[in-house]
Amino acid sequence: MTTPPTPVTLGLDVGTSGVKAVAVTASGDTLAESTHPYPLLTPRPGWTEQRPADWLAGVRAALRDLSTALEGRAQPLALGLSGQMHGLVPLDAHGGVLRPALLWNDQRTGAQVEQIEARVPRAELVARTGNRAVTGFQLPKILWLRDEEPDTFARLCHALIPKDYVGYALTGVMAAEPSDASGVGALNLARGAWDADVLGALDLPGDLFPQLVRSTDVVGTLTHEWAAATGLPEGLPVVAGGGDNAAAGIALGLSSARPDVGSVSLGTSGVIFSPLRDPTPDPEGRVHLFAHADGGYHLLGVTLSAAGSLEWLHAKLAPDTPIAALLEEAAQVPPGAGGVTFLPYLSGERSPLMNPHARAAFTGLSLAHGRAHLTRAVLEGSVAALADAYAVMQAIAPLNTLISTGGGARSDLWLGLASGALNLPVHPTSARPGAAHGTAILAMPAAGLHPNLTAAMDATRPDLHPPVPPVDMADALTAYAATRTALYGS
């Protein structure tokens, strides 16, 4: 007797370093996965770009891998989308890409941020969109295009976020959903619509942005061309999905219905994710307020270079030493890194400084210090930066528990430091599901695997390990705060 194929949904995450695709069962098990890298372009200091064609090549290869791996044993029923937030994919009237995409960590738009706040007072912008103007967001990128590349801007008809561009390529339909759209800088959170007053103040047309749908809605179906290129079924429903942090939150079971459980991510950037029932921003915009893919909201505290700082140290100072060995060395250094302090502002800083011109620094160095002290200081500095952000968030959305995610979650030392810095229990998970997994879950209601998103999240919520033992961060936090204040104010 032939075993019927297992029904699955597919999740696609268009990340900064590469695309990841997964196939997930109704109970949350991963049957297959594939990752394909693509290059990051840095044409000038502080600029980061990628070619959308490189994303599509990676998507094509990753989906082809899944199709091959699932053949004869699983039946894909829907595909969900996720990806890096805030980027600008500029398209002409025919849907053609006008230039390489400007990414979330691109810092060229300082002048345009000032333009926005000159035309829309910060307090009003925060009240409307949940956020102040930020260099990494899409809205100032559009103004930069108008100021610096007017010929390109004159041909601009559509502004898409990276994952939504991939969705357009796969289906021929342009659409956006709230969790990613709220990172553009022009979405009115209370109304759930593009803010015509903000756009009018900036002399931008409202039809520049795509229609808004729910994160669990089907935006279109896989075209004949993409089905032939990947081996997936033509007409496969493609679901809107969510921005990478929101989708990762779905994978971890984080919901606005349980606002006391959040997450800490130690990826390239470091992120504190705190669900919210109501759209309540920090009045000064020091942390982000975004829509959540479950229909609620979440606060996000972001330090731009968490694991990115460790990767930088590894590449520049110890390229021939495995990162695992560096972490073992750091574990032998007492708390406080022997008086060495690191500010992790290699790419400027988001929460709470919101300063694209901030730069990283080691302080307290002496002849007695070595590589292990520098590594320990990098680990401590990254979680001290997260504690800075959580101090703002805690007044609005206090948490009782954190679930860990991101590459740094593999290090018990790093998680222990995070627990000590944030004064919260941090629970690892066995599977460490990410954004691709989360957007596969977002696709499950459309696939008929679960009646709604709540049921899908209940069925796939990962098992938590006991919390890691917290590591003392008192001296490191004191030194970090003093150094940050001395260089950048309180």
Side-chain angles (χ1 to χ4, degrees):
M1 182 176 175
T2 303
T3 303
T6 303
V8 295
T9 53
L10 309 182
L12 197 62
D13 177 33
V14 184
T16 310
S17 58
V19 61
K20 182 172 184 177
V22 298
V24 179
T25 69
S27 59
D29 295 327
T30 301
L31 285 194
E33 62 181 76
S34 177
T35 301
H36 281 266
Y38 34 68
L40 177 69
L41 311 178
T42 54
R44 296 188 192 178
W47 291 24
T48 57
E49 300 179 354
Q50 281 177 330
R51 291 179 290 262
D54 291 339
W55 300 336
L56 297 186
V59 167
R60 190 176 295 108
L63 291 180
R64 168 61 72 178
D65 288 348
L66 286 196
S67 176
T68 300
L70 298 176
E71 188 172 1
R73 66 189 187 103
Q75 176 62 43
L77 299 180
L79 166 65
L81 303 174
S82 183
Q84 51 178 297
M85 295 179 66
H86 312 309
L88 170 63
V89 186
L91 305 180
D92 64 19
H94 305 290
V97 175
L98 291 169
R99 72 174 320 281
L102 283 67
L103 303 190
W104 60 275
N105 52 357
D106 188 286
Q107 299 287 2
R108 77 185 70 180
T109 59
Q112 288 70 37
V113 165
E114 293 177 5
Q115 283 182 37
I116 293 171
E117 295 202 338
R119 297 194 184 191
V120 185
R122 179 181 296 175
E124 182 180 354
L125 191 65
V126 170
R128 287 173 175 270
T129 70
N131 297 279
R132 61 195 286 182
V134 179
T135 51
F137 281 17
Q138 191 191 79
L139 187 62
K141 293 177 171 66
I142 296 171
L143 299 186
W144 180 90
L145 202 64
R146 183 169 68 186
D147 293 342
E148 301 297 331
E149 296 182 359
D151 291 344
T152 302
F153 181 81
R155 300 168 57 203
L156 177 69
C157 287
H158 307 284
L160 296 188
I161 303 164
K163 83 164 191 329
D164 297 335
Y165 171 73
V166 170
Y168 168 60
L170 295 176
T171 66
V173 178
M174 293 187 190
E177 51 73 45
S179 72
D180 224 351
S182 53
V184 166
L187 185 76
N188 188 300
L189 279 179
R191 296 205 305 263
W194 301 114
D195 197 305
D197 294 332
V198 169
L199 296 175
L202 299 171
D203 299 319
L204 292 174
D207 61 0
L208 193 60
F209 304 103
Q211 64 172 330
L212 289 161
V213 299
R214 296 176 303 175
S215 299
T216 52
D217 283 349
V218 174
V219 297
T221 59
L222 196 66
T223 66
H224 172 78
E225 292 77 13
W226 274 91
T230 61
L232 294 174
E234 182 177 350
L236 182 74
V238 177
V239 172
D244 53 3
N245 285 300
I250 295 294
L252 293 173
L254 304 181
S255 168
S256 52
R258 296 196 308 160
D260 61 328
V261 180
S263 68
V264 55
S265 173
L266 297 172
T268 300
S269 59
V271 178
I272 302 286
F273 183 107
S274 182
L276 276 174
R277 289 191 175 94
D278 301 307
T280 309
D282 169 49
E284 297 177 47
R286 294 170 293 175
V287 295
H288 301 308
L289 172 64
F290 297 135
H292 191 14
D294 71 346
Y297 305 89
H298 67 272
L299 287 180
L300 213 62
V302 181
T303 180
L304 288 176
S305 300
S309 292
L310 182 60
E311 290 162 0
W312 167 83
L313 182 141
H314 174 247
K316 303 297 183 182
L317 301 183
D320 298 325
T321 303
I323 286 182
L326 295 178
L327 292 171
E328 290 176 6
E329 293 175 3
Q332 307 308 310
V333 176
V340 179
T341 298
F342 178 68
L343 302 184
Y345 310 152
L346 291 166
S347 301
E349 186 57 315
R350 288 269 189 97
S351 312
L353 296 184
M354 295 295 177
N355 184 350
H357 306 296
R359 288 296 176 262
F362 282 107
T363 62
L365 288 169
S366 74
L367 292 172
H369 295 120
R371 184 173 73 184
H373 296 90
L374 296 180
T375 305
R376 178 85 183 209
V378 164
L379 302 180
E380 292 180 347
S382 64
V383 297
L386 288 174
D388 251 6
Y390 183 61
V392 176
M393 300 169 67
Q394 190 172 16
I396 304 168
L399 295 167
N400 292 330
T401 301
L402 289 169
I403 304 172
S404 66
T405 185
R410 297 183 180 91
S411 167
D412 286 345
L413 169 62
W414 213 344
L415 292 183
L417 291 168
S419 179
L422 298 164
N423 195 29
L424 288 169
V426 176
H427 294 263
T429 65
S430 298
R432 289 191 293 271
H437 195 99
T439 199
I441 295 168
L442 286 166
M444 288 181 180
L449 295 186
H450 294 287
N452 51 51
L453 180 59
T454 299
M457 292 173 68
D458 287 344
T460 58
R461 186 171 282 113
D463 294 328
L464 303 186
H465 291 178
V468 296
V471 178
D472 178 31
M473 277 287 295
D475 290 345
L477 289 174
T478 299
Y480 181 93
T483 305
R484 181 210 62 221
T485 299
L487 292 178
Y488 297 106
S490 58

